[in-house]
Amino acid sequence: MARKAILYISQSLDGFIADNEGSVNWIVGNNEDYVSDYGYENFISDIDTVILGYNTYYQIKTELSPDKWVYDDLTSYVLTNKNIKDSANIKYRNIDITELINRLKQEPGKNIWICGGANLVNQCVKENLIDEYQITTVPIILGSGIRLFENNSKIKLKLNDVKEENGLVTGFYTNNNLP
């Protein structure tokens, strides 16, 4: 079975992945005290590679998990033009996203998580590199912020499943337009 590139991400009802300050602290369900991983452990069990842009990487390292790299068990590719030395599980690359994903799909392994941010996601959408979309919609209207999808070509997706938990609704889609 070939590896798949999967976009697994949350957005506001009006399509933003972060507010104007870049914060994601609004990603909560109806009951803020509700405890769940919302399917994350199931998702991550089929992933061994994560691809993220530098801004997302920086936010994780400085705000969301400053003490420990949260994807230590995965191979992480951070796309950046900064000259940063690789660590054991984090590879910093200035590489075309199409080249990287196509190369990774040919290698043995589990699936590939397109983690974000918006610039990276939109490059992947523009080049039609995403096999599956798992998009969780949070019951909030932000009004502005960092939009998930911008100026992309039309890609028809097939809805395979929908799950709701604590007001968060996740759609599971397959891209049937891949070459």
Side-chain angles (χ1 to χ4, degrees):
M1 182 170 116
R3 298 174 84 179
K4 295 182 282 191
I6 302 173
L7 175 63
Y8 176 86
I9 201 163
S10 295
Q11 70 173 3
S12 65
L13 187 61
D14 53 348
F16 297 100
I17 60 171
D19 64 20
N20 284 330
E21 288 78 43
S23 175
V24 294
N25 64 0
W26 50 268
I27 300 178
V28 295
N30 291 337
N31 177 353
E32 292 185 24
D33 296 326
Y34 183 82
V35 178
S36 174
D37 75 350
Y38 295 98
Y40 176 79
E41 287 301 322
N42 186 51
F43 167 76
I44 206 73
S45 69
D46 290 329
I47 300 292
D48 67 3
T49 305
V50 60
I51 301 175
L52 53 162
Y54 182 80
N55 290 341
T56 301
Y57 162 79
Y58 186 78
Q59 181 181 36
I60 292 167
K61 285 290 283 183
T62 60
E63 296 173 37
L64 303 176
S65 183
D67 298 327
K68 180 182 184 308
W69 182 238
V70 293
Y71 307 125
D72 237 0
D73 296 337
L74 308 174
T75 300
S76 298
Y77 286 89
V78 178
L79 298 187
T80 180
N81 58 9
K82 298 178 186 304
N83 188 11
I84 304 172
K85 187 174 174 13
D86 291 352
S87 65
N89 295 3
I90 306 174
K91 302 174 186 306
Y92 303 91
R93 298 290 183 265
N94 184 4
I95 186 172
D96 176 75
I97 190 63
T98 302
E99 180 183 334
L100 177 61
I101 290 177
N102 286 337
R103 180 174 55 84
L104 290 172
K105 282 184 173 183
Q106 298 307 310
E107 296 174 359
K110 295 181 178 182
N111 292 326
I112 304 156
W113 177 13
I114 309 301
C115 182
N119 184 28
L120 174 68
V121 169
N122 282 291
Q123 289 177 54
C124 290
V125 172
K126 180 181 177 194
E127 298 301 324
N128 199 23
L129 299 171
I130 301 171
D131 298 282
E132 293 180 6
Y133 293 72
Q134 293 184 29
I135 301 175
T136 298
T137 302
V138 179
I140 188 171
I141 296 173
L142 293 177
S144 63
I146 300 171
R147 187 165 296 286
L148 176 55
F149 297 116
E150 293 279 354
N151 303 319
N152 286 301
S153 302
K154 182 180 0 178
I155 298 177
K156 187 170 172 63
L157 305 175
K158 178 183 178 221
L159 177 65
N160 296 311
D161 198 7
V162 176
K163 293 190 174 157
E164 182 277 334
E165 186 175 351
N166 192 31
L168 303 181
V169 178
T170 302
F172 298 83
Y173 305 90
T174 304
N175 181 353
N176 293 330
N177 298 306
L178 292 171

